[in-house]
Each structure stands twice: as C-alpha cells, then as structure tokens.
Amino acid sequence: MTDAENHPVSPARVAVIQFDPQVGLDNRAANTDRALALAERAADDGATLIVLPELSATGYSFRDRAEAYAHAEEVPDGATVRTWESFARERGVHVVTGLAEREGVRLFDTAVLVGPDGYVGRYRKTHLWNREKLWFTPGDLGFPVFDTPIGRIGLLICWDIWFPEVPRLLAQQGADIICSVNNWVWTPPPIFDETGRCMASYLTMTAAHVNNVFIAAANRVGTDRGARFLGCSLIAGTNGWPIGRVAGAEEETILTADIDVVSARSAPIWNQLNDLIRDRRTDLYDPLLGYGLGHVAPR
C-alpha cells in the first residue's frame, strides 16, 4: 500500500465529555460554563469533534412538565445553540450537545450539531425513557445523517441504543460516525461487570461492530434529584472495540481518539467473500427496514 493510500482522508480527533450538569434554572449558567470549560480543554488538545451528554444544558430530573417547559428553548434560535455556534466558529470544531427543545407547546429531548459555519442540524429523541414520556413528545424527524467537512454524522440519544434499528438505519444512510448523547441511569444490579463496563457500553460496542461505524458515546455522571448516572462514556471503533478506555462511573473526564472518519466506508468489507452491506438479504427485507424518511447512501 502506498503512502497516499495510508494517509488519512478525513482525520479527526474526537472528544467525548463526561460531566455532571444539574437541573434547575439557577444551574443553567453553571452547566454551560462547565461544559464550555471542558470543551475548551478538548479543543486545546486538538479535538475537532466534541460530544457532550444528553440534556447537558439543563440537567435531567425535571419535577413536572411545567419545569421542563421552563428549561426549554427554540432550536436553532435559543441561547444554547447560539453559544455553541460561537464556540465552534471560534475554535474551528464540530460540537454535538443536548438540550430541551420547545416548538410551540411541544417539548423534545434534542441533540444539536453545530460546526465552524454554524448550525448544522438536530435530532429529536425517538425512544423516550420512563418519566420523559410525561413531558417530551417522541421525535418526529426520523434519523437524519448530516454531511459535514469531516464526514457524515448521525445522532442518537440514550435509550435509542437499545433499539438496533437506530444505528442500523443511520449506517444504511451512510453515517461514518454516530454521536451518542446520553443520560444512562443506574438500573437494578448488576450494573457493571468485573471490567467496570455497563450494559450500555456493550450495546454501544455491539452497534459499532455490527454496523462498522465509529460511535462516540458521551454520558454524564453524578446524582440529579435522586437519579444516579453511571458514566461509562467511550469511543468505539468500526470493529466495535473501544479506542482507549471506557470512562469510570464517577469521574468527570474527557476521552479522546484520533480516527480517520471516512475509513468507516470501507470497514464493512471483511474479506473477499463477506461484505456486511452486500450480505444483507434485501430480497427478504428492504434496505431501510421500511423507513421512509431517508435514503440508502453508499459506504
């Protein structure tokens, strides 16, 4: 193989930020300030794609719909998106972050993607967990994949990773990397195995492996009005294995990985006779599993 063939086509340093945002309007400024400080550290270290947790602008444990509504803002015209647009423009990076979105009287658990040129797009959480169903509306935008200068980026949120259709549909639409923003909570034990990994870690690794995409998963830590969060953030390679370590359950931390984003496009070719995409039996099921809001893109 020549040096040209070895040279990364779309090199990126991916950073996932694990921290402890708190609910409450009085905490909004502190949440943003802490997230920005950590993102500055990541950018100083060379990160070009930064992923923050679900609802990192607001905290998670709303008491009721009225409080969730008070925390929500419009997208892309709200303060949170504008703040991250300024950061992304100044530092020349792409950022994925989570917030509560308001559209009329409807509320959504939303992830937004911004870049050096401003707002790129949003994803509204499709599968709602527990009491989220009492204030958020299930997402209505499907599973968009966004073309960016560093590659095609898909988004998912937390509970979505338990539904294998989500990363599969993102991969089938050509996603090179999936940014997974999360508030993974403690569930009945056992929570962790002997390696310190939680089930969400393994689901992320499995989704990366069976779809041959990178997944950058940012979770939060700490306790928010009695809800406890379990960390375990990670960056999974196209083979499913973590690139570097899986974060601990208590620590505020930044994980980074240097990847060639578009190398995911050749990852499904395993050998001369097996190609993950070609081997799918689309004569028995359609390429997008009945999904009608996107289109199959080559990888």
Side-chain angles (χ1 to χ4, degrees):
M1 186 174 290
T2 67
D3 289 342
E5 290 172 319
N6 279 321
H7 183 74
V9 174
S10 188
R13 176 164 289 185
V14 181
V16 298
I17 292 176
Q18 180 170 289
F19 79 119
D20 181 15
Q22 291 290 303
V23 77
L25 294 177
D26 292 343
N27 294 318
R28 288 293 297 271
N31 291 340
T32 299
D33 289 347
R34 188 58 189 154
L36 283 169
L38 291 166
E40 288 280 6
R41 280 174 47 191
D44 287 345
D45 189 42
T48 53
L49 173 60
I50 299 170
V51 186
L52 292 126
E54 175 186 12
L55 296 172
S56 55
T58 64
Y60 181 77
S61 301
F62 304 117
R63 289 193 178 94
D64 51 36
R65 179 177 167 80
E67 187 178 45
Y69 192 87
H71 282 73
E73 57 194 274
E74 294 182 349
V75 173
D77 297 324
T80 297
V81 175
R82 294 305 182 212
T83 294
W84 287 108
E85 281 183 317
S86 296
F87 175 85
R89 188 174 295 111
E90 178 183 339
R91 299 308 304 263
V93 300
H94 286 80
V95 178
V96 177
T97 191
L99 52 81
E101 179 192 358
R102 180 178 69 244
E103 184 182 71
V105 297
R106 298 193 302 167
L107 300 179
F108 297 95
D109 185 339
T110 296
V112 297
L113 170 64
V114 299
D117 295 324
Y119 173 75
V120 177
R122 65 187 163 188
Y123 165 68
R124 292 169 169 170
K125 187 174 184 178
T126 302
H127 303 96
L128 299 178
W129 169 260
N130 203 2
R131 290 174 61 83
E132 293 169 12
K133 295 181 177 183
L134 302 181
W135 30 83
F136 290 126
T137 298
D140 59 355
L141 301 178
F143 306 104
V145 173
F146 303 101
D147 278 297
T148 76
I150 61 173
R152 301 180 190 134
I153 298 176
L155 309 176
L156 63 78
I157 301 176
C158 200
W159 184 223
D160 285 334
I161 198 66
W162 269 259
F163 298 84
E165 297 88 350
V166 177
R168 174 52 53 89
L169 289 171
L170 291 171
Q172 285 300 108
Q173 293 177 91
D176 300 311
I177 184 168
I178 296 171
C179 297
S180 171
V181 303
N182 308 293
N183 279 182
W184 294 328
V185 296
W186 283 52
T187 53
I191 305 295
F192 307 100
D193 67 7
E194 65 279 1
T195 71
R197 295 171 179 170
C198 64
M199 186 56 66
S201 302
Y202 287 106
L203 288 168
T204 300
M205 292 161 59
T206 299
H209 174 78
V210 301
N211 293 291
N212 294 141
V213 294
F214 296 103
I215 301 183
N219 192 32
R220 60 162 293 175
V221 290
T223 301
D224 194 6
R225 289 182 177 166
R228 190 176 181 185
F229 302 89
L230 47 73
C232 289
S233 298
L234 72 153
I235 303 167
T238 58
N239 58 10
W241 294 111
I243 306 173
R245 69 187 183 94
V246 176
E250 307 287 347
E251 60 178 330
E252 177 181 271
T253 191
I254 302 170
L255 303 179
T256 61
D258 291 306
I259 66 172
D260 183 0
V261 179
V262 300
S263 65
R265 300 185 189 182
S266 59
I269 303 171
W270 288 30
N271 56 48
Q272 288 184 328
L273 297 177
N274 290 107
D275 178 319
L276 182 73
I277 295 171
R278 186 184 63 197
D279 285 354
R280 297 184 76 228
R281 290 294 306 277
T282 53
D283 57 322
L284 301 179
Y285 48 80
D286 71 82
L288 283 176
L289 304 177
Y291 177 69
L293 296 179
H295 62 276
V296 176
R299 288 180 62 202

